[in-house]
Amino acid sequence: MNAQSSNDRIIIFDTTLRDGEQSPGATLNVDEKLTIARQLARLGVDVIEAGFPYSSPGDFEAVQKIAQTVGTPDGPIICGLARATKQDIQTAAEALKPAARSRIHTFIATSDIHLKYKLKKNRDEVLAIAEEMVSFAKSLVDDVEFSPEDAGRSDPEFLYAVLERAIAAGATTVNIPDTVGYLTPSEFGALIRGIKENVPNIDQAIISVHGHNDLGLAVANFLEAVKNGARQLECTINGIGERAGNAALEELVMALYVRRQYYNPFLGRPADSEEPLTNIDTRQLYKTSRLVSNLTGMLVQPNKAIVGANAFAHESGIHQDGVLKNKLTYEIMDAQLIGLTDNQIVLGKLSGRNAFRSRLKELGFELTDQELNKAFIRFKELADKKKEISDRDLEAIVNDEIQQSPDLFKLELVQVSCGDHACPTATVTLRTPDGKELTDAATGTGPVDAVYKAINRVVNVPNQLIEFSVQSVTAGIDAIGEVTIRLRYDDRFFSGHAANTDIIVASAQAYINALNRLYAALQRQEPQMNPQHSALEDVTPVIS
Ligand code: KIV
Ligand code: ZN
């Protein structure tokens, strides 16, 4: 399906791996990005914005690998972000080369505030740069997207002029960002309508929208934009992203699904048309949400629409009574629509490797033999402790394996003693990156504190623990506990996640996972480059 030719359905452009990864602490390594990209392809997104290749060798490699493995002819378009400079654009083109269908997304700010304080350029200069850089990008790839950053606060007349030039220079998608999440739904709708009416060549491009959630209006703004002609939505899983995040993919998709009779006419269809408005396989939404939350360490609030733990729970007696009589009383969508099964029991102690492998395959996990072996050992250990193993347990085991970086610190042993009359004491043994086994012990205010202090004595990288959370994967006393933590080192954040029936072991492993990310970043000495916070001249490592 070619997104470019589609004007009667909504193109879903996922930017979890680019704007989502700009959330503090959401840094992902190359393998984790690849895992998420594969899942996004299964979910059915049309475009994956895989990263900002010029920012670091790690980002370049991730975009290139995603282009190679997920950018197949029938897979999504793979997109790379580039500031409006030749170096950025050239580097993005290089990283995207292996993709069957690739897109360069280049941007430059157009609001007077950004021109004066960030770019230090006048309007004529910005117009000329936008035109020249779109045409340069076009000389490298066919599919070029242009964004006038901070469009929401730009003078509409100037915005029209920039968009007209960008389209004339070859942009096939023009994306309208509300970069600071300032607009209200009716203002955003009017902005899109104004663009449709005042940019003479607008019919040669798809109108896209991108928006931040600073006032909690991003999703509402996008839906208003759809009514006024927007046909591409830039969004992220769980709404993660800069500051308050981006518009949440799952909320947009389900709003367009549940209220299709309302939205159909805006796309020129009869209200009762059953043709889907997006390409998304909604049954993959819950799983994708969990994967992104686990790998980024960005927890989903329980009352979050669609994917929050309480989104389908009915607490009050009146509601429960109504739902038992007829679900329609208090439910506008079925939990199964987003892939939330009722924790079906799928495997148990006697299940063999083949059953395990084929269930993982059905769940969409493609593991190498080595990964499968490791996951199978974890499954058997779990089956000894827990009689009934659900899909959610299997997902927790596999996600946990994905997160561990074998080349860095490895947890070999953790033991604690604690109680109401004891001084919590922990002993840990870690394998260091150079293969040594080191053991140390510490006391703390509680067992987790003691474990973290003991680990710190071995790893010796100063850091501050700023977030710690434990959640159970399923109900029941034998449930797997998932621990998510976040560390601060200078002004950078690193997250870690782990799952185990023993929450002390999960806590220790989550901490090691976060420390490994911190340790890897220190080894690479990569500056964290935010595409939007840097002027066009800022130089970063160039990828040859
Ligand atoms: O928020 C924004 O303006 C962006 C652009 C790079 C599209 O993320
Ligand atoms: Zn953004």
Side-chain angles (χ1 to χ4, degrees):
M1 154 83 234
N2 182 358
Q4 296 295 300
S5 65
S6 155
N7 214 20
D8 62 351
R9 74 165 179 87
I10 304 295
I11 298 160
I12 298 294
F13 176 112
D14 180 277
T15 183
T16 305
L17 296 174
R18 197 279 297 168
D19 208 318
E21 213 220 359
Q22 286 175 222
S23 320
T27 325
L28 297 161
N29 65 34
V30 174
D31 286 342
E32 290 163 346
K33 286 186 186 173
L34 204 55
T35 304
I36 292 179
R38 286 199 179 106
Q39 178 56 26
L40 291 172
R42 260 177 237 122
L43 178 65
V45 307
D46 300 288
V47 189
I48 294 178
E49 187 164 51
F52 172 33
Y54 188 70
S55 66
S56 69
D59 231 37
F60 182 92
E61 189 192 344
V63 174
Q64 194 176 46
K65 280 211 167 135
I66 292 170
Q68 249 159 24
T69 52
V70 184
T72 55
D74 55 353
I77 294 171
I78 310 298
C79 174
L81 184 71
R83 292 170 304 172
T85 73
K86 282 197 169 174
Q87 278 170 312
D88 274 38
I89 293 171
Q90 183 82 57
T91 309
E94 194 64 36
L96 292 166
K97 242 183 212 158
R101 295 185 300 149
S102 59
R103 173 181 298 184
I104 292 178
H105 175 192
T106 187
F107 73 100
I108 188 163
T110 48
S111 68
D112 289 336
I113 300 175
H114 277 234
L115 264 60
K116 183 167 171 199
Y117 297 107
K118 184 173 99 167
L119 297 177
K120 299 187 177 37
K121 300 210 181 293
N122 64 36
R123 288 184 177 190
D124 286 342
E125 287 171 313
V126 167
L127 257 181
I129 294 172
E131 181 172 26
E132 192 191 339
M133 290 305 126
V134 168
S135 120
F136 179 60
K138 192 76 179 178
S139 71
L140 304 172
V141 294
D142 283 342
D143 186 350
V144 176
E145 173 167 328
F146 171 73
S147 289
E149 191 192 9
D150 205 16
R153 292 188 302 171
S154 300
D155 169 8
E157 294 303 325
F158 179 53
L159 191 60
Y160 302 152
V162 178
L163 293 176
E164 183 181 355
R165 290 265 204 113
I167 295 170
T172 37
T173 299
V174 285
N175 177 47
I176 313 303
D178 181 12
T179 302
V180 291
Y182 180 69
L183 298 185
T184 64
S186 60
E187 286 171 333
F188 202 48
L191 177 66
I192 303 304
R193 194 164 56 250
I195 288 168
K196 250 189 119 67
E197 286 167 2
N198 293 290
V199 177
N201 50 2
I202 195 68
D203 56 341
Q204 292 166 37
I206 286 174
I207 302 179
S208 165
V209 285
H210 178 109
H212 287 265
N213 209 23
D214 299 68
L215 295 174
L217 295 172
V219 168
N221 284 353
F222 277 29
L223 293 172
E224 210 51 31
V226 166
K227 287 162 63 178
N228 286 281
R231 291 294 174 264
Q232 175 177 283
L233 306 180
E234 297 202 356
C235 41
T236 59
I237 301 297
N238 301 334
I240 64 171
E242 280 274 350
R243 305 183 308 280
N246 287 73
L249 181 149
E250 60 282 359
E251 295 179 22
L252 290 164
V253 165
M254 290 314 288
L256 291 169
Y257 179 82
V258 173
R259 299 305 312 276
R260 55 195 181 279
Q261 294 195 340
Y262 175 75
Y263 288 104
N264 273 335
F266 295 103
L267 281 91
R269 308 156 166 213
D272 59 1
S273 165
E274 282 300 325
E275 194 177 332
L277 279 160
T278 71
N279 255 358
I280 297 296
D281 175 358
T282 62
R283 285 158 310 154
Q284 294 284 336
L285 283 173
Y286 187 70
K287 180 177 174 209
T288 316
S289 161
R290 300 262 319 151
L291 179 71
V292 169
S293 172
N294 289 345
L295 295 186
T296 58
M298 305 280 293
L299 290 175
V300 173
Q301 78 204 53
N303 59 324
K304 160 93 178 57
I306 317 296
V307 290
N310 296 349
F312 292 91
H314 298 279
E315 186 66 22
S316 94
I318 299 176
H319 285 210
Q320 286 173 352
D321 180 55
V323 170
L324 286 176
K325 286 176 177 146
N326 187 328
K327 277 191 173 189
L328 290 176
T329 50
Y330 288 102
E331 269 186 22
I332 58 166
M333 59 195 149
D334 195 318
Q336 283 186 351
L337 259 180
I338 64 149
L340 199 64
T341 50
D342 296 327
N343 279 326
Q344 275 161 295
I345 299 149
V346 288
L347 298 176
K349 201 176 165 149
L350 299 177
S351 309
R353 180 184 294 266
N354 280 345
F356 179 70
R357 184 201 297 267
S358 66
R359 187 61 199 152
L360 286 184
K361 209 161 169 215
E362 277 162 30
L363 288 172
F365 290 109
E366 289 162 36
L367 303 187
T368 62
D369 284 346
Q370 203 192 357
E371 286 166 339
L372 187 86
N373 286 346
K374 278 183 11 200
F376 189 63
I377 292 170
R378 288 284 304 271
F379 162 71
K380 282 289 178 187
E381 283 167 4
L382 181 63
D384 276 340
K385 296 180 191 152
K386 197 170 186 285
K387 222 166 77 199
E388 303 168 338
I389 297 186
S390 69
D391 287 349
R392 302 252 337 253
D393 292 320
L394 292 181
E395 282 172 10
I397 295 177
V398 177
N399 288 342
D400 201 44
E401 286 298 323
I402 292 167
Q403 258 228 343
Q404 295 179 24
S405 322
D407 304 337
L408 300 172
F409 289 97
K410 193 166 182 305
L411 182 68
E412 296 290 353
L413 170 142
V414 55
Q415 268 176 356
V416 290
S417 99
C418 61
D420 60 352
H421 286 86
C423 171
T425 309
T427 307
V428 297
T429 301
L430 303 187
R431 186 173 298 281
T432 63
D434 51 8
K436 288 195 196 102
E437 243 185 36
L438 299 180
T439 299
D440 218 321
T443 58
T445 50
V448 175
D449 187 44
V451 168
Y452 285 15
K453 283 189 175 135
I455 291 175
N456 280 339
R457 289 170 67 93
V458 177
V459 176
N460 206 14
V461 178
N463 69 84
Q464 196 190 351
L465 179 70
I466 53 163
E467 210 175 291
F468 176 89
S469 117
V470 192
Q471 284 175 325
S472 73
V473 172
T474 53
I477 194 73
D478 56 356
I480 291 185
E482 288 188 307
V483 174
T484 306
I485 65 154
R486 193 179 290 264
L487 312 172
R488 185 205 293 266
Y489 176 85
D490 284 345
D491 56 350
R492 297 176 68 175
F493 298 87
F494 298 88
S495 68
H497 173 95
N500 200 291
T501 46
D502 182 326
I503 58 165
I504 299 296
V505 178
S507 303
Q509 188 60 59
Y511 193 49
I512 294 288
N513 289 346
L515 285 173
N516 277 339
R517 287 179 170 184
L518 162 54
Y519 191 79
L522 289 181
Q523 277 189 324
R524 287 194 305 266
Q525 291 193 321
E526 270 181 11
Q528 239 183 0
M529 187 189 181
N530 182 316
Q532 291 168 265
H533 295 175
S534 42
L536 293 179
E537 293 77 19
D538 283 355
V539 178
T540 56
V542 181
I543 289 98
S544 53

